[in-house]
Amino acid sequence: RSNAGFSLVELIIVIAIMVILIGVLAPQFIKYVESSKKSTDIQNVDEIITAINVYCADPDNSPSSLSGKTLDLTLTPVILADGTTYTDIQKVLYEAGIKSYSLKSDEWFASGSTKLTLTVTVTDGSPSYKITGANTDYDILAGKKKKTEPATP
């Protein structure tokens, strides 16, 4: 009699071990993917802010033209050069080489929202930023989850 191959019990044991490993590793992988998305978002917003800061620091530019302007950071906005009417902020980003921008993680958005709005205020040539429409647990400008103070009795 030939003993070629595996028995059914051996195959079931191997499959059970694989299921256990997947069950343990899958949540960690999902956390890693979400963390990667957040890091990308933080870097993208940082690039946008850097481009606006550089524009405002250039003495040949008029940073006051950006004051009070808003930029919608939606999931998939694309700025096109052909026939698009730019807002001042979009023009600054386009000139800085940022032709498209997107947010990968859904955790930045408030419940039911698909859009964040970045408002730029320029005072004495120095820009400041505020984001609205965001999840109150996260601060994309600081790049981290906001600290919550424990309730005092």
Side-chain angles (χ1 to χ4, degrees):
R1 182 171 145 168
S2 174
N3 252 351
F6 297 103
S7 71
L8 182 59
V9 173
E10 291 171 329
L11 289 175
I12 290 174
I13 290 172
V14 168
I15 291 172
I17 291 171
M18 290 175 60
V19 166
I20 291 170
L21 287 175
I22 290 172
V24 170
L25 297 178
Q28 295 302 318
F29 178 73
I30 291 169
K31 284 183 192 176
Y32 173 76
V33 169
E34 186 61 30
S35 173
S36 175
K37 287 179 180 180
K38 285 189 216 174
S39 296
T40 302
D41 292 344
I42 291 166
Q43 183 177 1
N44 290 343
V45 171
D46 191 47
E47 284 180 30
I48 289 170
I49 290 173
T50 300
I52 294 171
N53 287 340
V54 168
Y55 177 84
C56 289
D58 188 346
D60 293 336
N61 294 326
S62 172
S64 61
S65 67
L66 299 180
S67 189
K69 301 291 175 138
T70 62
L71 173 68
D72 291 334
L73 299 171
T74 60
L75 287 173
T76 55
V78 178
I79 304 168
L80 301 176
D82 306 314
T84 302
T85 304
Y86 292 107
T87 66
D88 292 334
I89 295 174
Q90 289 172 327
K91 182 179 178 189
V92 168
L93 297 179
Y94 188 79
E95 289 175 357
I98 302 172
K99 295 177 179 66
S100 67
Y101 47 89
S102 63
L103 296 173
K104 310 282 185 226
S105 175
D106 292 334
E107 289 194 27
W108 301 118
F109 299 95
S111 178
S113 175
T114 58
K115 176 173 67 173
L116 299 183
T117 302
L118 173 68
T119 304
V120 179
T121 305
V122 181
T123 308
D124 297 328
S126 178
S128 61
Y129 308 93
K130 179 182 177 187
I131 290 195
T132 54
N135 183 342
T136 56
D137 294 340
Y138 292 93
D139 185 358
I140 193 168
L141 293 175
K144 59 186 173 187
K145 188 170 183 170
K146 292 180 182 177
K147 291 182 180 176
T148 55
E149 297 296 325
T152 55

